[in-house]
Amino acid sequence: MANLPPWLILDPQLQSWLAEDIGRGDRTTQALWPASVDADGSPLGQAELRLKQIGVIAGLPLFQRVFRLLSAKAQIKPLVPEGDYCPPGTLVAQLEGPLSVLLMGERVALNLIMHLSGIATLTRTYADQIADLPTQLVDTRKTTPGLRILEKYATQVGGAVNHRLGLDDAVMIKDNHIVAAGGIGSAIRLVRQQSPFPLAIEVETETLEQVQEALDAQADIIMLDNMSVEHMQQAVKMIRQPSPGETGYRAKIEASGNITLQTLRAVAETGVDYISTSATITQASWLDFSLSFTPPLG
Amino acid sequence: MANLPPWLILDPQLQSWLAEDIGRGDRTTQALWPASVDADGSPLGQAELRLKQIGVIAGLPLFQRVFRLLSAKAQIKPLVPEGDYCPPGTLVAQLEGPLSVLLMGERVALNLIMHLSGIATLTRTYADQIADLPTQLVDTRKTTPGLRILEKYATQVGGAVNHRLGLDDAVMIKDNHIVAAGGIGSAIRLVRQQSPFPLAIEVETETLEQVQEALDAQADIIMLDNMSVEHMQQAVKMIRQPSPGETGYRAKIEASGNITLQTLRAVAETGVDYISTSATITQASWLDFSLSFTPPLG
Amino acid sequence: MANLPPWLILDPQLQSWLAEDIGRGDRTTQALWPASVDADGSPLGQAELRLKQIGVIAGLPLFQRVFRLLSAKAQIKPLVPEGDYCPPGTLVAQLEGPLSVLLMGERVALNLIMHLSGIATLTRTYADQIADLPTQLVDTRKTTPGLRILEKYATQVGGAVNHRLGLDDAVMIKDNHIVAAGGIGSAIRLVRQQSPFPLAIEVETETLEQVQEALDAQADIIMLDNMSVEHMQQAVKMIRQPSPGETGYRAKIEASGNITLQTLRAVAETGVDYISTSATITQASWLDFSLSFTPPLG
Amino acid sequence: MANLPPWLILDPQLQSWLAEDIGRGDRTTQALWPASVDADGSPLGQAELRLKQIGVIAGLPLFQRVFRLLSAKAQIKPLVPEGDYCPPGTLVAQLEGPLSVLLMGERVALNLIMHLSGIATLTRTYADQIADLPTQLVDTRKTTPGLRILEKYATQVGGAVNHRLGLDDAVMIKDNHIVAAGGIGSAIRLVRQQSPFPLAIEVETETLEQVQEALDAQADIIMLDNMSVEHMQQAVKMIRQPSPGETGYRAKIEASGNITLQTLRAVAETGVDYISTSATITQASWLDFSLSFTPPLG
Amino acid sequence: MANLPPWLILDPQLQSWLAEDIGRGDRTTQALWPASVDADGSPLGQAELRLKQIGVIAGLPLFQRVFRLLSAKAQIKPLVPEGDYCPPGTLVAQLEGPLSVLLMGERVALNLIMHLSGIATLTRTYADQIADLPTQLVDTRKTTPGLRILEKYATQVGGAVNHRLGLDDAVMIKDNHIVAAGGIGSAIRLVRQQSPFPLAIEVETETLEQVQEALDAQADIIMLDNMSVEHMQQAVKMIRQPSPGETGYRAKIEASGNITLQTLRAVAETGVDYISTSATITQASWLDFSLSFTPPLG
Amino acid sequence: MANLPPWLILDPQLQSWLAEDIGRGDRTTQALWPASVDADGSPLGQAELRLKQIGVIAGLPLFQRVFRLLSAKAQIKPLVPEGDYCPPGTLVAQLEGPLSVLLMGERVALNLIMHLSGIATLTRTYADQIADLPTQLVDTRKTTPGLRILEKYATQVGGAVNHRLGLDDAVMIKDNHIVAAGGIGSAIRLVRQQSPFPLAIEVETETLEQVQEALDAQADIIMLDNMSVEHMQQAVKMIRQPSPGETGYRAKIEASGNITLQTLRAVAETGVDYISTSATITQASWLDFSLSFTPPLG
């Protein structure tokens, strides 16, 4: 299963998201229990988180953490495992804690789990199409600003593998870089001298000539960008043939560009290692959940 | 037209979003012009931003600002006004600046304009349905964490009016608050004593009895939540009749809950002042743009 | 009673205020118990917080929190309720905790409670003058930079109602805005199109002609700025008369400008809803407290 | 004249204070010029800053900087020197810049200069009482949280000398420290071993016996706390007499505790080097200024 | 040559380092030109940066930027290229700008260039030993907290290649990980499922059996940890032989552990691709520079 | 023994240093226990921290705190006191906690204790040379950016006394300041008027004439910069002679400039109060430690 970085990394963001919603104070909730010094002092209540649509649950640990950051007294008990594909009506978690805390954290917690579960659910739809093939689905850097780690976590939960996380953990040489450097070969040489050595170098290619150039320069990953299925088949064949002199060089192959649910399987069958698409994030709708309080309220 | 807060407010977020993508450095771009001390020293280039689908442009000032934060030398020239509804292929902006800067800022700038334009475009579709009626479309607090201001700006660009921006600029008394306070009347009284006096107080109602309670307590805004069109008609009638003794009290009416493109117009025709929906944000796909560099590259 | 936002919102400020005082370390306190790794390791001590003047206590929860942020071992026990009007010599709280913690937090905690109690005490003096009238005392945006939330909390504790908290939770159209927009009517129209719909729109008026313009444009709140009591009486009459055609429109009235303890009651008797004054913050002196340690010290 | 730290140190605070007031955006100002992308695009305007009371001007550089942080186009021209004692009606500065910028920065800029000038004015009143004597007036650590540097700058402008700025730039051994360390001598020894060597060590004394102990332990500064004028005279004599064996030790003397405008001069005449009081900050009212826009507005 | 990330990434650190030194204000410099409102207003001066030892210059762009962050008026003109190996006495840069700015930024700017040049110089000594061999020198994660990017930049300037920059841009499976996962094979499998696919997987091996396990699991990089030169020779042979069935798999080899200037060449001659050492950072002394002002001073 | 500021001051730095290493997540560790929601959920393990060289331990409280910030479950038990001079092989601490936490915090914790212990060890070597003399060893402002407090703590642990911590807690008038102010006397006068009064004023002198000027202006500390031992002897004599008229003025004396282990004792024997050197920080190598996990691992 997918994994999240430690809370030390995520907490500052979660806190800023709570602050974005609460602003100078929750005028409604704070007023209801005026006798309590802080949110912790309000009466205890219970609530239930239910799924309203069919889909994949992603973001439960974050849902829990949002309330925990507001109060150590909030107890959120997940009832289904993260990543489960659940029917509508599923009781996903039980909440207990000071009512002020539950009411103040509700919107941020729901926004997170609804957004991430939407991505995980759409990703699952894509991943299932090619589940029996060795090709893996990967995501891209088209992510909502500020949510890179979490949206990529959601595509993992949905069944994809992450592509690079930023401009610093892999090298991607695109058409503009190639022109600027005077060719694929010189671009790779320039970058290889200056990058941390474990970083993979990927090159975007649009023609078979470019594929050959990338092979000659021993790119670690060759992206076939916007190619027809026929061209991809030829490219895969070129890349997979034993390298001359048995140098032990073998590039990974990524197909990219205008992949749809309709074309996904045909592309996978060409034998590429990875198919990347931004659709699982940019085309995803939020998955609907409800949070309902159970009487008696304090 | 919609408006953005000053850059002093937005810049820290834009900077953090660039940092999220760049991380410890753009390994590809930095390597291409090793002689230049900083990004500003790379050769100048030009690029074009084009729309690939039909839609409403939202986020052009942010697209510009992203590059400006990387370098004072970046010149981004918008060619269409923010908020325009444009056909596929529209040349939206011309870019000129150091190539490193253009390449390093590209992804964040595109992610922003694609995400926001997607929201503005879907909002326009909704708003157009009721453009000839006095009822106005409004958004909700279901926004992607960290993007509240910008997504609400995008719905404005699309033709909606913003609902409250957070928990602190209006009061919304929901079912759980009502139960906790022992009724609509006491909830309103508690809150009115402690909120800044200009803040509006809105109450969520699900029955005509609750509408009457809200009227008795002189709520500023009455939300009709998940009511049938028939119930809404009755509620509107109750609320619009002259208040006894001409006290000058008259509540605004908001319809909410499961509004779809199909039901939107019928709801508006009941005469409510506002119809709120989260769909324009939670159901929006990104609008597609391309950024292509124009030769010669430096 | 007044309420504070959750600690998640306030803690970063409290921490920065402790850091402002402690800087690179408390050279005196840290040296006294050199064997202890951190402040928690110093011997336990007790201290008493006493009021030295007559006045209203405001800021006890913040006084507690300052020590708690330095150590989970600090126990601060309030002995009077927040908002009480107490005589000199009142024992306000008992403190117990590691001596380093008590000594290091002392100044910041005292500065907060003395400053806020001073504001609450002066506010009470004003509020008491009109306690038997329906008119309410409100504050303004003249607050010490960085202390907006807390100073407005203190005026609430003292008996006032808060005016808007910032430039974003209500609209205030002043003389300069009116000139720039070409009149009260067009200013209100411009703003109403672009603000979140629940936000109230207030207009500053200096003449009866302007009052009429504000009424015509249906401003939510009409401020009578620097008017004589006679002019205010006329304005109130204009505003309170039934609107033609029973439109249900009725503006709230705020009196403002050069309100003093001497004029306050006469102004209230004109029947305005609110009287705003910055004096309760800008003219307040700190209320004096003492913190004395009780032997034996560790 | 007093001096401020570089803007690199102050800007983050000024920015946070603007953000405190602007929040999610200035709903009034932003709406008035909807065609302009940012505040810089609004029409130019002029305004005048005038003093409404008699007093000392403090904070003009900060007043300027607030507008500059909002826009490079704002031109603020001071017409009197910082620190001048001016009559009511004095034209203090002329402002020119985009109207949005002037209107959005107005409140924060005024709050700063009014608060600081109030402190400088009250400090001047105290300082003038002893201007012909060698004794100097000093401030304390009783400052509004978050404003330590600026309020101490204001007392300097008013004619005082600063005492220590925090817990880390000098050592102050108070009664509780003395008890905890087992006497003045051992307290000084403990601290001297661990503090940066240039830091001065001050000891609070309440009796002549304690003064002698402080002398024996060679404290750098001896504070006479809450002593009668007669006791102070004796203490000054003890401290000023040549040290035995001409060791070259000579402590500075600070009088403290319940200093009022009435007692100030008598205390100074005892020959102490410094008299410290928090009153110049904790008892100061804001000095009144007005900012009025000059037609024509854009 | 090495490259730095954009200033947007580095500026916050440089600013915090200036703040660390300046604290609440440079008491010496600020006092010298009391008439100037800010540092920019002090008279202009010139200074020269000279190298006092033989060594490699690293950090000139940072040296420049420190002064620029204090004032746009500071002009720092480098006279030798970054990375040059220079004799003692070399005039490295000329400075011109407001004297306050030059004096306030001096220490931070010098601390940076002295620290980084020390690292670059020691790295050059190591790199020169194996300059004629294909083996490359690499650094480690033993870097001073907070200086990871800059110290790794300095080793690049000195002639090394960077190893991974953090725990997130490559996978390193160490002995403890292997035990926890139940073997090298299962550790690699677990990690490969969850990491971004472009990330390289490196395994630490101490015996030839472990080398074989790493080969079987197709690790991307095999580290030979603390092996004798003889064992390394055998390991290199095992790893370099053609993989069975020509699968195109070929691991990179890294030697690590107790590498000294004495053993470096012998290790390189075994044919490993990389030799990693922390010594170039952890054993480096600062390189000495002087900054002297040239009369006349303002 | 030396002391650290409270964690409230240090935690933000420790957190940023963990974030620097962990980045977007520890790809290796997070993958090993995929079933655990967070690092706390991984199986418990034990490890031992051992010293590999002879040296002084400095930084144990920080070593502990790093793990504690990752998880409340981490238990780090120190087995030797901070500041001890230990032989190679010493078992310094035992660790127990969730394996993910121990593995994720390992590098940062080790980098800190190795760096600081290296400084403490070298400082001890210097301090021991003059341990029987009254002269004290002091450090300088040549510290690694971002580590001022901690490196100065380490020199304290090693036996030195701290010099000023920044530009704001003491005044140091150097040659350039003197020229700018028109002489030592006027420089001291300018600064004394504007600095907080407890701050010491130190003057750098290179000749006996300058020493006399500093004496005439009653500098608190006189630095003898780069003087020969003979000149220093003369200077000490000038400064130590009784001041005329028994004014009780007696300056402290600091020797500085090119102090080496060879010259240190001779300089101390001239009778100066302090000898400052940056060598204990800028010439220090890291002290070597190992962290080894003890089976069985979870």
Side-chain angles (χ1 to χ4, degrees), chain E residues 26-249:
Chain E
D26 176 353
R27 292 297 148 187
T28 314
T29 300
Q30 288 171 206
L32 293 183
W33 298 280
S36 60
V37 168
D38 54 24
D40 269 14
S42 62
L44 291 185
Q46 287 81 33
E48 292 181 343
L49 176 70
R50 279 184 194 277
L51 184 62
K52 294 172 70 177
Q53 294 179 282
I54 188 168
V56 176
I57 309 295
L60 260 174
L62 300 158
F63 183 90
Q64 286 183 279
R65 188 73 177 179
V66 163
F67 294 102
R68 178 58 51 95
L69 289 176
L70 281 170
S71 165
K73 288 189 185 168
Q75 300 292 336
I76 316 299
K77 189 174 155 196
L79 300 176
V80 298
E82 178 85 342
D84 245 35
Y85 192 72
C86 298
T90 303
L91 179 58
V92 177
Q94 283 175 324
L95 299 80
E96 181 167 322
L99 275 165
S100 275
V101 170
L102 299 184
L103 289 163
M104 237 182 258
E106 173 183 1
R107 188 71 268 142
V108 173
L110 280 171
N111 285 355
L112 269 171
I113 202 170
M114 289 169 74
H115 180 68
L116 298 181
S117 298
I119 291 169
T121 302
L122 184 56
T123 306
R124 185 70 53 93
T125 311
Y126 275 73
D128 282 352
Q129 292 280 327
I130 57 172
D132 59 326
L133 299 175
T135 304
Q136 286 185 289
L137 187 72
V138 299
D139 50 28
T140 73
R141 275 170 51 242
K142 284 191 194 164
T143 57
T144 316
L147 291 130
R148 175 72 50 86
I149 291 176
L150 297 186
E151 291 184 345
K152 289 208 161 222
Y153 165 80
T155 66
Q156 266 195 295
V157 171
V161 170
N162 290 155
H163 206 304
R164 63 174 175 164
L165 296 169
L167 293 168
D168 59 341
D169 66 339
V171 170
M172 172 83 82
I173 298 174
K174 302 194 177 186
D175 46 1
N176 299 310
H177 298 115
I178 293 168
V179 175
I184 287 178
S186 57
I188 291 183
R189 263 187 303 280
L190 272 170
V191 175
R192 207 169 316 259
Q193 282 162 22
Q194 296 180 58
S195 297
F197 87 84
L199 297 202
I201 296 183
E202 175 162 8
V203 178
E204 209 176 279
T205 63
E206 295 179 350
T207 65
L208 296 181
E209 289 69 35
Q210 287 186 313
V211 170
Q212 189 57 51
E213 280 183 69
L215 282 169
D216 293 346
Q218 304 216 338
D220 296 309
I221 309 166
I222 296 175
M223 182 203 280
L224 313 178
D225 193 31
N226 278 314
M227 286 190 189
S228 67
V229 168
E230 293 70 34
H231 271 100
M232 282 199 235
Q233 286 167 330
Q234 290 179 270
V236 171
K237 206 168 145 195
M238 283 170 65
I239 300 169
R240 292 283 190 245
Q241 71 188 12
S243 57
E246 283 166 10
T247 63
Y249 164 69

Side-chain angles (χ1 to χ4, degrees), chain D residues 79-194:
Chain D
L79 299 175
V80 298
E82 178 85 342
D84 245 36
Y85 192 71
C86 299
T90 302
L91 179 58
V92 176
Q94 283 174 325
L95 298 80
E96 182 167 321
L99 276 166
S100 276
V101 170
L102 300 185
L103 289 163
M104 237 182 259
E106 174 183 2
R107 187 72 267 141
V108 173
L110 281 171
N111 286 355
L112 269 171
I113 201 168
M114 289 168 74
H115 180 69
L116 298 181
S117 298
I119 291 170
T121 301
L122 184 56
T123 305
R124 183 71 53 94
T125 310
Y126 275 72
D128 282 353
Q129 294 278 327
I130 56 172
D132 58 325
L133 299 176
T135 304
Q136 285 185 291
L137 187 72
V138 300
D139 49 28
T140 73
R141 276 169 52 242
K142 284 192 194 165
T143 56
T144 316
L147 291 129
R148 175 74 48 88
I149 291 177
L150 297 186
E151 290 184 344
K152 288 209 162 222
Y153 165 80
T155 66
Q156 266 196 296
V157 170
V161 170
N162 290 155
H163 206 304
R164 63 174 174 162
L165 296 170
L167 294 167
D168 58 342
D169 66 338
V171 169
M172 171 83 81
I173 298 174
K174 301 193 177 186
D175 47 1
N176 299 310
H177 298 115
I178 294 168
V179 176
I184 287 178
S186 58
I188 290 184
R189 264 187 304 281
L190 271 170
V191 175
R192 213 179 298 271
Q193 281 162 24
Q194 296 180 59

Side-chain angles (χ1 to χ4, degrees), chain B residues 93-162:
Chain B
Q94 283 174 324
L95 299 80
E96 181 167 323
L99 276 165
S100 276
V101 171
L102 299 185
L103 289 163
M104 236 182 260
E106 174 184 2
R107 188 73 267 142
V108 172
L110 280 171
N111 286 355
L112 269 170
I113 201 169
M114 289 168 74
H115 180 68
L116 297 181
S117 298
I119 290 170
T121 302
L122 185 56
T123 305
R124 185 71 54 94
T125 310
Y126 275 73
D128 282 353
Q129 293 279 328
I130 56 171
D132 58 327
L133 299 176
T135 304
Q136 284 186 289
L137 187 72
V138 300
D139 50 27
T140 74
R141 275 169 52 241
K142 284 193 194 163
T143 58
T144 316
L147 291 129
R148 174 73 50 88
I149 291 177
L150 298 185
E151 291 184 344
K152 289 208 163 225
Y153 165 79
T155 65
Q156 267 196 295
V157 171
V161 170
N162 290 154

Side-chain angles (χ1 to χ4, degrees), chain A residues 168-213:
Chain A
D168 59 342
D169 66 339
V171 169
M172 171 83 81
I173 298 174
K174 302 193 176 185
D175 47 1
N176 300 311
H177 298 115
I178 294 168
V179 176
I184 287 178
S186 58
I188 290 183
R189 263 188 304 281
L190 272 170
V191 176
R192 218 185 286 277
Q193 282 163 21
Q194 297 180 59
S195 296
F197 87 85
L199 297 202
I201 297 182
E202 175 163 6
V203 178
E204 210 176 279
T205 64
E206 295 179 351
T207 65
L208 296 180
E209 289 69 35
Q210 286 187 315
V211 170
Q212 189 57 52
E213 280 184 69

Side-chain angles (χ1 to χ4, degrees), chain F residues 21 57 91 132 157:
Chain F
D21 194 34
I57 308 295
L91 179 58
D132 58 326
V157 170

Side-chain angles (χ1 to χ4, degrees), chain D:
Chain D
M1 253 295 294
N3 53 69
L4 287 166
W7 295 117
L8 181 119
I9 300 296
L10 296 176
D11 279 352
Q13 260 184 307
L14 295 176
Q15 284 159 339
S16 78
W17 294 338
L18 279 163
E20 182 194 48
D21 194 35
I22 296 173
R24 302 175 180 103
D26 176 354
R27 292 297 148 187
T28 313
T29 300
Q30 288 172 206
L32 293 183
W33 297 279
S36 60
V37 168
D38 54 24
D40 269 14
S42 62
L44 291 185
Q46 287 81 34
E48 293 180 341
L49 176 70
R50 280 185 193 275
L51 184 60
K52 294 172 72 177
Q53 295 178 282
I54 188 166
V56 176
I57 308 295
L60 260 174
L62 300 157
F63 184 90
Q64 286 184 280
R65 188 72 178 179
V66 163
F67 295 101
R68 177 59 50 94
L69 289 175
L70 281 170
S71 165
K73 288 189 185 168
Q75 300 293 334
I76 316 299
K77 189 173 156 198
L79 299 175
V80 298
E82 178 85 342
D84 245 36
Y85 192 71
C86 299
T90 302
L91 179 58
V92 176
Q94 283 174 325
L95 298 80
E96 182 167 321
L99 276 166
S100 276
V101 170
L102 300 185
L103 289 163
M104 237 182 259
E106 174 183 2
R107 187 72 267 141
V108 173
L110 281 171
N111 286 355
L112 269 171
I113 201 168
M114 289 168 74
H115 180 69
L116 298 181
S117 298
I119 291 170
T121 301
L122 184 56
T123 305
R124 183 71 53 94
T125 310
Y126 275 72
D128 282 353
Q129 294 278 327
I130 56 172
D132 58 325
L133 299 176
T135 304
Q136 285 185 291
L137 187 72
V138 300
D139 49 28
T140 73
R141 276 169 52 242
K142 284 192 194 165
T143 56
T144 316
L147 291 129
R148 175 74 48 88
I149 291 177
L150 297 186
E151 290 184 344
K152 288 209 162 222
Y153 165 80
T155 66
Q156 266 196 296
V157 170
V161 170
N162 290 155
H163 206 304
R164 63 174 174 162
L165 296 170
L167 294 167
D168 58 342
D169 66 338
V171 169
M172 171 83 81
I173 298 174
K174 301 193 177 186
D175 47 1
N176 299 310
H177 298 115
I178 294 168
V179 176
I184 287 178
S186 58
I188 290 184
R189 264 187 304 281
L190 271 170
V191 175
R192 213 179 298 271
Q193 281 162 24
Q194 296 180 59
S195 297
F197 86 84
L199 297 202
I201 296 183
E202 174 163 8
V203 178
E204 211 177 277
T205 64
E206 295 178 351
T207 65
L208 297 180
E209 289 68 36
Q210 286 186 315
V211 170
Q212 188 57 51
E213 279 183 69
L215 282 170
D216 293 344
Q218 304 216 336
D220 296 310
I221 309 166
I222 297 175
M223 181 203 281
L224 312 178
D225 192 32
N226 278 315
M227 286 191 189
S228 66
V229 168
E230 294 69 35
H231 270 100
M232 281 200 235
Q233 285 168 331
Q234 289 178 271
V236 171
K237 203 168 148 196
M238 282 169 65
I239 300 169
R240 292 282 189 245
Q241 71 188 10
S243 56
E246 282 166 11
T247 63
Y249 164 69
R250 191 67 46 96
K252 290 176 189 163
I253 311 172
E254 175 185 341
S256 186
N258 296 321
I259 307 295
T260 65
L261 263 181
Q262 282 65 45
T263 61
L264 182 65
R265 191 163 177 92
V267 173
E269 286 170 344
T270 63
V272 297
D273 297 296
Y274 302 100
I275 301 177
S276 61
T277 176
S278 61
T280 54
I281 288 174
T282 63
Q283 308 295 320
S285 295
W286 292 25
L287 197 68
D288 210 5
F289 289 77
S290 69
L291 187 73
S292 54
F293 285 75
T294 49
L297 291 180

